[in-house]
Coordinates of all heavy atoms in Angstrom, one line a residue:
L851 N 69.4 29.7 63.8 CA 69.7 31.0 64.4 C 70.5 31.8 63.6 O 70.7 33.0 63.9 CB 70.6 30.6 65.7 CG 69.9 29.7 66.7 CD1 70.9 29.4 67.9 CD2 68.6 30.4 67.3
L852 N 71.1 31.4 62.4 CA 71.9 32.1 61.5 C 71.1 32.9 60.6 O 70.2 32.3 60.0 CB 73.0 31.3 60.9 CG 73.9 30.6 61.7 CD1 74.9 29.7 60.9 CD2 74.8 31.6 62.5
P853 N 71.4 34.2 60.3 CA 70.7 34.9 59.3 C 71.0 34.4 57.9 O 72.2 33.9 57.6 CB 71.1 36.3 59.5 CG 72.5 36.2 60.1 CD 72.5 35.0 61.0
T854 N 70.1 34.5 57.0 CA 70.4 34.1 55.6 C 71.2 35.2 54.8 O 71.3 36.3 55.4 CB 69.0 33.8 54.8 OG1 68.3 35.1 54.8 CG2 68.2 32.8 55.6
W855 N 71.7 34.8 53.7 CA 72.4 35.8 53.0 C 71.5 37.0 52.5 O 72.0 38.1 52.5 CB 73.2 35.1 51.8 CG 72.2 34.6 50.7 CD1 71.6 33.5 50.5 CD2 71.8 35.5 49.6 NE1 70.8 33.4 49.5 CE2 70.9 34.6 48.8 CE3 72.0 36.8 49.2 CZ2 70.2 35.1 47.7 CZ3 71.4 37.2 48.0 CH2 70.5 36.4 47.3
R856 N 70.3 36.6 52.3 CA 69.4 37.7 52.0 C 69.3 38.7 53.1 O 69.1 40.0 52.9 CB 68.0 37.1 51.6 CG 68.0 36.4 50.3 CD 66.6 35.9 49.8 NE 66.5 35.2 48.7 CZ 66.7 33.9 48.6 NH1 67.0 33.2 49.7 NH2 66.6 33.2 47.5
M857 N 69.1 38.2 54.3 CA 68.9 39.1 55.5 C 70.2 39.8 55.8 O 70.2 41.0 56.1 CB 68.7 38.2 56.7 CG 67.4 37.4 56.7 SD 67.3 36.2 58.1 CE 67.2 37.2 59.4
L858 N 71.4 39.3 55.5 CA 72.6 40.0 55.8 C 72.9 41.2 54.6 O 73.2 42.3 55.0 CB 73.9 39.0 55.6 CG 74.0 38.0 56.8 CD1 75.1 37.0 56.4 CD2 74.3 38.8 58.0
L859 N 72.4 40.8 53.5 CA 72.5 41.8 52.4 C 71.6 43.0 52.7 O 71.9 44.1 52.6 CB 72.2 41.2 51.0 CG 72.1 42.1 49.8 CD1 73.5 42.8 49.7 CD2 71.7 41.5 48.6
A860 N 70.4 42.6 53.1 CA 69.4 43.7 53.6 C 69.9 44.6 54.6 O 69.8 45.7 54.6 CB 68.0 43.1 53.9
A861 N 70.5 43.9 55.7 CA 71.0 44.6 56.8 C 72.2 45.5 56.4 O 72.2 46.7 56.9 CB 71.5 43.6 58.0
F862 N 73.0 45.0 55.6 CA 74.2 45.9 55.1 C 73.6 47.0 54.3 O 74.2 48.2 54.6 CB 75.0 45.0 54.3 CG 76.2 45.8 53.6 CD1 77.3 46.1 54.4 CD2 76.0 46.2 52.2 CE1 78.3 46.9 53.7 CE2 77.1 46.9 51.7 CZ 78.3 47.2 52.5
L863 N 72.7 46.8 53.5 CA 72.2 47.9 52.7 C 71.5 49.0 53.6 O 71.6 50.2 53.4 CB 71.2 47.4 51.6 CG 71.8 46.6 50.5 CD1 70.7 46.0 49.6 CD2 72.8 47.4 49.7
L864 N 70.8 48.5 54.6 CA 70.1 49.4 55.5 C 71.1 50.2 56.3 O 70.9 51.4 56.4 CB 69.2 48.5 56.5 CG 68.5 49.4 57.6 CD1 67.5 50.4 56.8 CD2 67.7 48.4 58.5
V865 N 72.1 49.5 56.8 CA 73.2 50.3 57.6 C 73.8 51.3 56.7 O 74.1 52.5 57.0 CB 74.3 49.3 58.2 CG1 75.4 50.1 58.7 CG2 73.6 48.5 59.2
A866 N 74.2 50.9 55.4 CA 74.8 51.9 54.5 C 74.0 53.0 54.2 O 74.4 54.2 54.2 CB 75.2 51.2 53.1
V867 N 72.7 52.8 54.0 CA 71.7 53.9 53.8 C 71.6 54.8 55.0 O 71.7 56.0 54.9 CB 70.3 53.4 53.4 CG1 69.3 54.5 53.4 CG2 70.3 52.7 52.1
L868 N 71.6 54.3 56.2 CA 71.6 55.0 57.5 C 72.7 55.9 57.6 O 72.8 57.0 58.0 CB 71.3 54.1 58.6 CG 69.9 53.5 58.7 CD1 69.9 52.5 60.0 CD2 68.9 54.6 58.9
L869 N 74.0 55.2 57.4 CA 75.2 56.0 57.5 C 75.3 57.1 56.5 O 75.7 58.2 56.9 CB 76.5 55.1 57.4 CG 76.7 54.1 58.5 CD1 77.8 53.1 58.2 CD2 77.0 54.8 59.9
C870 N 75.0 56.8 55.3 CA 74.9 57.9 54.3 C 74.0 59.0 54.7 O 74.3 60.3 54.6 CB 74.6 57.3 52.9 SG 75.8 56.2 52.2
G871 N 72.8 58.7 55.2 CA 71.9 59.6 55.6 C 72.4 60.4 56.8 O 72.2 61.6 56.9
A872 N 73.0 59.7 57.7 CA 73.5 60.4 58.8 C 74.7 61.4 58.5 O 74.9 62.5 59.0 CB 74.0 59.4 59.9
F873 N 75.5 60.9 57.6 CA 76.6 61.7 57.0 C 76.1 63.1 56.3 O 76.5 64.1 56.6 CB 77.5 61.0 56.2 CG 78.7 61.9 55.6 CD1 79.8 61.9 56.4 CD2 78.6 62.5 54.4 CE1 80.9 62.7 55.8 CE2 79.6 63.2 53.9 CZ 80.8 63.3 54.7
V874 N 75.1 62.8 55.5 CA 74.4 64.0 54.8 C 73.8 64.9 55.9 O 74.0 66.1 55.7 CB 73.5 63.5 53.7 CG1 72.7 64.6 53.1 CG2 74.2 62.7 52.7
A875 N 73.1 64.3 56.8 CA 72.4 65.2 57.8 C 73.5 65.9 58.6 O 73.3 67.1 58.8 CB 71.6 64.3 58.7
G876 N 74.5 65.2 59.0 CA 75.5 65.9 59.8 C 76.2 67.0 59.1 O 76.5 68.1 59.6
Y877 N 76.6 66.6 57.8 CA 77.4 67.6 57.0 C 76.4 68.9 56.8 O 76.9 70.0 56.8 CB 77.7 67.0 55.7 CG 78.6 67.8 54.9 CD1 80.0 67.8 55.1 CD2 78.1 68.7 53.9 CE1 80.8 68.6 54.3 CE2 79.0 69.5 53.0 CZ 80.4 69.5 53.4 OH 81.2 70.2 52.6
T878 N 75.1 68.6 56.6 CA 74.2 69.8 56.4 C 73.9 70.5 57.6 O 73.9 71.8 57.5 CB 73.0 69.2 55.8 OG1 73.1 68.4 54.6 CG2 72.0 70.4 55.5
M879 N 73.8 69.9 58.8 CA 73.4 70.5 60.0 C 74.5 71.2 60.7 O 74.4 72.3 61.4 CB 72.7 69.6 60.9 CG 71.5 68.9 60.4 SD 70.8 67.6 61.5 CE 70.5 68.5 63.0
V880 N 75.7 70.7 60.7 CA 76.9 71.2 61.4 C 77.5 72.3 60.6 O 77.9 72.1 59.5 CB 77.9 70.1 61.7 CG1 79.1 70.8 62.4 CG2 77.3 69.1 62.6
K881 N 77.4 73.5 61.2 CA 78.0 74.7 60.6 C 79.3 75.1 61.2 O 79.6 74.7 62.3 CB 77.0 75.8 60.7 CG 75.6 75.6 60.2 CD 75.4 75.4 58.7 CE 74.0 75.2 58.4 NZ 73.9 74.8 56.9
I882 N 80.2 75.7 60.4 CA 81.4 76.2 60.9 C 81.1 77.4 61.8 O 80.6 78.4 61.4 CB 82.3 76.7 59.8 CG1 82.7 75.5 58.9 CG2 83.6 77.3 60.4 CD1 83.6 75.8 57.8
P883 N 81.4 77.2 63.2 CA 81.0 78.3 64.1 C 82.0 79.5 64.1 O 83.0 79.5 63.4 CB 80.9 77.5 65.5 CG 82.0 76.5 65.2 CD 82.0 76.1 63.8
A884 N 81.6 80.5 64.8 CA 82.5 81.5 65.0 C 83.7 81.1 65.8 O 83.6 80.2 66.7 CB 81.9 82.7 65.6
A885 N 84.9 81.7 65.7 CA 86.0 81.3 66.4 C 85.8 81.7 67.9 O 85.1 82.5 68.3 CB 87.3 82.1 65.9
N886 N 86.6 80.8 68.7 CA 86.5 81.1 70.1 C 87.0 82.6 70.5 O 88.1 83.0 69.8 CB 87.4 80.2 70.9 CG 86.8 78.7 71.0 OD1 85.6 78.7 71.0 ND2 87.7 77.9 70.9
D887 N 86.3 83.3 71.2 CA 86.7 84.6 71.7 C 87.6 84.6 72.8 O 87.3 84.3 73.9 CB 85.5 85.4 72.0 CG 85.8 86.9 72.2 OD1 87.0 87.2 72.1 OD2 84.8 87.7 72.4
T888 N 88.9 84.8 72.6 CA 89.9 84.9 73.7 C 89.5 85.8 74.8 O 90.1 85.6 76.0 CB 91.3 85.1 73.2 OG1 91.3 86.4 72.5 CG2 91.8 84.0 72.2
A889 N 88.7 86.8 74.5 CA 88.4 87.8 75.5 C 87.5 87.1 76.6 O 87.3 87.7 77.7 CB 87.6 88.9 74.9
T890 N 86.9 85.9 76.3 CA 86.0 85.3 77.3 C 86.8 84.3 78.1 O 86.1 83.6 78.9 CB 84.9 84.7 76.6 OG1 85.4 83.6 75.7 CG2 84.1 85.6 75.7
A891 N 88.1 84.2 77.8 CA 88.8 83.2 78.6 C 88.8 83.5 80.1 O 88.8 84.7 80.5 CB 90.4 83.2 78.2
Q892 N 88.6 82.4 80.9 CA 88.4 82.5 82.4 C 89.7 82.2 83.1 O 90.5 81.4 82.5 CB 87.3 81.8 82.8 CG 86.0 82.1 82.1 CD 84.9 81.1 82.6 OE1 84.4 81.2 83.8 NE2 84.4 80.3 81.7
S893 N 89.8 82.6 84.3 CA 90.9 82.1 85.2 C 90.5 80.9 86.0 O 89.4 80.7 86.2 CB 91.4 83.2 86.2 OG 91.7 84.5 85.4
N894 N 91.4 80.2 86.4 CA 91.2 79.1 87.4 C 91.4 79.7 88.8 O 92.3 80.4 89.0 CB 92.1 77.9 87.2 CG 91.8 77.2 85.9 OD1 90.7 77.0 85.6 ND2 92.9 76.7 85.3
V895 N 90.5 79.3 89.7 CA 90.6 79.8 91.1 C 91.0 78.6 92.0 O 90.4 77.6 91.9 CB 89.2 80.4 91.5 CG1 89.4 80.9 92.9 CG2 88.9 81.5 90.6
Y896 N 92.1 78.8 92.9 CA 92.5 77.8 93.8 C 92.3 78.3 95.1 O 92.4 79.4 95.6 CB 94.1 77.6 93.5 CG 94.4 77.1 92.2 CD1 94.5 77.9 91.1 CD2 94.6 75.7 92.0 CE1 94.8 77.5 89.8 CE2 94.9 75.2 90.7 CZ 95.1 76.2 89.7 OH 95.3 75.6 88.4
L897 N 91.8 77.3 96.0 CA 91.4 77.7 97.4 C 92.1 76.7 98.4 O 92.4 75.6 98.0 CB 89.8 77.5 97.5 CG 89.0 78.3 96.5 CD1 87.5 77.8 96.6 CD2 89.0 79.7 96.7
Y898 N 92.2 77.2 99.6 CA 92.6 76.4 100.7 C 91.5 75.5 101.1 O 90.4 75.7 100.6 CB 93.0 77.3 101.9 CG 94.5 77.8 101.8 CD1 94.6 79.2 101.5 CD2 95.6 77.0 101.9 CE1 95.8 79.8 101.5 CE2 96.8 77.6 101.8 CZ 97.0 79.0 101.6 OH 98.2 79.5 101.5
A899 N 91.8 74.5 101.9 CA 90.7 73.5 102.3 C 89.5 74.2 102.9 O 88.4 73.8 102.8 CB 91.3 72.5 103.3
D900 N 89.8 75.3 103.7 CA 88.7 76.0 104.3 C 88.0 77.0 103.4 O 87.1 77.8 103.9 CB 89.2 76.7 105.6 CG 90.2 77.8 105.3 OD1 90.6 78.0 104.1 OD2 90.8 78.4 106.3
G901 N 88.3 77.1 102.2 CA 87.7 78.0 101.2 C 88.4 79.4 101.1 O 88.0 80.2 100.3
T902 N 89.5 79.6 101.9 CA 90.3 80.8 101.7 C 90.9 80.8 100.4 O 91.5 79.9 99.9 CB 91.3 80.9 102.8 OG1 90.6 80.7 104.0 CG2 92.0 82.2 102.8
P903 N 90.9 82.0 99.7 CA 91.5 82.1 98.4 C 93.0 81.9 98.5 O 93.6 82.3 99.4 CB 91.2 83.5 97.9 CG 90.0 84.0 98.6 CD 90.1 83.2 100.0
L904 N 93.6 81.1 97.5 CA 95.0 80.8 97.5 C 95.7 81.4 96.3 O 96.7 82.0 96.4 CB 95.1 79.2 97.5 CG 96.4 78.6 97.8 CD1 96.1 77.1 98.2 CD2 97.4 78.6 96.6
A905 N 95.2 81.1 95.1 CA 95.8 81.8 94.0 C 94.7 81.8 92.8 O 93.7 81.2 92.8 CB 97.0 80.9 93.5
R906 N 95.1 82.6 91.8 CA 94.3 82.6 90.6 C 95.2 82.7 89.4 O 96.2 83.4 89.4 CB 93.4 83.9 90.6 CG 92.6 84.1 89.4 CD 91.8 85.5 89.5 NE 90.9 85.5 90.6 CZ 89.6 85.2 90.6 NH1 89.1 84.7 89.4 NH2 88.8 85.2 91.6
D907 N 94.9 81.9 88.4 CA 95.8 82.0 87.1 C 94.9 81.8 86.0 O 93.6 81.8 86.1 CB 96.8 80.8 87.1 CG 96.3 79.5 86.8 OD1 95.1 79.3 86.8 OD2 97.0 78.7 86.4
G908 N 95.5 81.9 84.8 CA 94.7 81.7 83.6 C 94.8 82.8 82.5 O 94.1 82.8 81.5
E909 N 95.7 83.7 82.7 CA 95.9 84.9 81.8 C 96.4 84.3 80.5 O 97.4 83.6 80.4 CB 96.9 85.9 82.4 CG 97.1 87.0 81.4 CD 98.1 88.0 82.1 OE1 98.3 87.9 83.3 OE2 98.6 88.8 81.3
V910 N 95.7 84.6 79.4 CA 96.0 83.9 78.1 C 97.2 84.8 77.5 O 97.3 85.9 77.5 CB 94.8 84.0 77.1 CG1 95.2 83.6 75.7 CG2 93.7 83.2 77.7
N911 N 98.2 84.0 77.0 CA 99.4 84.5 76.4 C 99.4 84.0 75.0 O 99.7 82.8 74.6 CB 100.6 84.1 77.2 CG 101.9 84.5 76.5 OD1 101.9 85.5 75.8 ND2 103.0 83.8 76.8
R912 N 99.1 84.9 74.0 CA 99.0 84.5 72.6 C 99.4 85.7 71.8 O 99.0 86.8 72.0 CB 97.6 83.9 72.2 CG 97.4 83.6 70.8 CD 96.1 83.2 70.4 NE 95.7 81.9 70.9 CZ 94.8 81.6 71.7 NH1 93.9 82.6 72.0 NH2 94.5 80.4 72.1
E913 N 100.2 85.4 70.7 CA 100.5 86.4 69.6 C 100.5 85.8 68.3 O 101.4 84.9 68.0 CB 101.9 87.1 70.0 CG 102.2 88.1 69.0 CD 103.6 88.7 69.3 OE1 104.2 88.4 70.3 OE2 104.0 89.5 68.4
N914 N 99.6 86.1 67.5 CA 99.4 85.4 66.1 C 100.5 85.8 65.2 O 100.9 87.1 65.2 CB 98.1 85.6 65.6 CG 96.9 84.9 66.3 OD1 97.3 84.0 67.1 ND2 95.7 85.4 66.1
V915 N 100.9 84.9 64.4 CA 101.9 85.3 63.3 C 101.4 84.7 62.1 O 100.5 83.8 62.0 CB 103.3 84.8 63.6 CG1 104.0 85.5 64.8 CG2 103.3 83.2 63.8
Q916 N 101.8 85.2 60.9 CA 101.5 84.6 59.6 C 102.5 83.4 59.3 O 103.5 83.3 59.9 CB 101.7 85.7 58.5 CG 100.8 86.9 58.6 CD 101.0 87.8 57.5 OE1 101.9 87.7 56.7 NE2 100.2 88.9 57.5
L917 N 102.0 82.5 58.5 CA 102.7 81.3 58.2 C 104.0 81.6 57.6 O 105.1 80.9 57.8 CB 101.9 80.4 57.3 CG 102.5 79.0 57.0 CD1 102.6 78.2 58.3 CD2 101.7 78.2 56.0
S918 N 104.1 82.7 56.8 CA 105.3 83.0 56.1 C 106.5 83.5 57.1 O 107.6 83.5 56.8 CB 105.0 84.2 55.2 OG 104.5 85.3 55.8
Q919 N 106.0 83.9 58.3 CA 106.9 84.2 59.4 C 107.6 83.1 60.1 O 108.6 83.3 60.7 CB 106.2 85.1 60.4 CG 105.8 86.5 59.9 CD 105.0 87.3 60.9 OE1 103.7 87.3 61.0 NE2 105.7 87.9 61.8
V920 N 106.9 81.9 59.9 CA 107.4 80.7 60.6 C 108.4 80.1 59.7 O 108.1 79.6 58.6 CB 106.3 79.7 60.9 CG1 106.8 78.6 61.6 CG2 105.3 80.4 61.7
P921 N 109.7 79.9 60.0 CA 110.7 79.2 59.2 C 110.1 77.9 58.7 O 109.5 77.1 59.5 CB 111.9 79.1 60.0 CG 111.8 80.2 61.0 CD 110.3 80.3 61.3
K922 N 110.6 77.5 57.5 CA 110.2 76.3 56.9 C 110.6 75.0 57.8 O 109.9 74.1 58.0 CB 110.7 76.0 55.5 CG 109.9 76.8 54.4 CD 108.6 76.1 54.2 CE 107.8 76.7 53.0 NZ 106.5 76.1 52.9
A923 N 111.8 75.2 58.4 CA 112.3 74.2 59.3 C 111.4 73.9 60.4 O 111.2 72.7 60.8 CB 113.8 74.4 59.8
I924 N 110.8 74.9 61.0 CA 109.9 74.8 62.1 C 108.6 74.2 61.7 O 107.9 73.4 62.3 CB 109.8 76.1 62.8 CG1 111.1 76.5 63.4 CG2 108.7 76.0 64.0 CD1 111.2 77.8 64.2
Q925 N 108.1 74.7 60.5 CA 106.8 74.1 59.9 C 107.0 72.5 59.8 O 106.2 71.8 60.1 CB 106.6 74.7 58.6 CG 106.2 76.2 58.7 CD 105.8 76.8 57.4 OE1 105.1 76.1 56.5 NE2 106.2 78.0 57.0

Side-chain angles (χ1 to χ4, degrees):
L851 303 177
L852 299 178
T854 65
W855 69 269
R856 291 184 180 86
M857 295 170 65
L858 292 174
L859 178 60
F862 175 79
L863 292 174
L864 178 61
V865 170
V867 170
L868 290 175
L869 288 176
C870 290
F873 180 85
V874 172
Y877 188 84
T878 304
M879 295 174 63
V880 176
K881 307 295 183 182
I882 298 179
N886 288 327
D887 188 356
T888 57
T890 63
Q892 303 178 68
S893 297
N894 292 322
V895 177
Y896 297 81
L897 309 170
Y898 283 105
D900 62 0
T902 305
L904 193 161
R906 179 184 296 269
D907 78 337
E909 181 181 341
V910 174
N911 175 24
R912 177 184 287 122
E913 181 182 351
N914 291 343
V915 293
Q916 296 179 357
L917 187 62
S918 59
Q919 295 177 262
V920 182
K922 279 289 184 181
I924 296 179
Q925 294 181 40

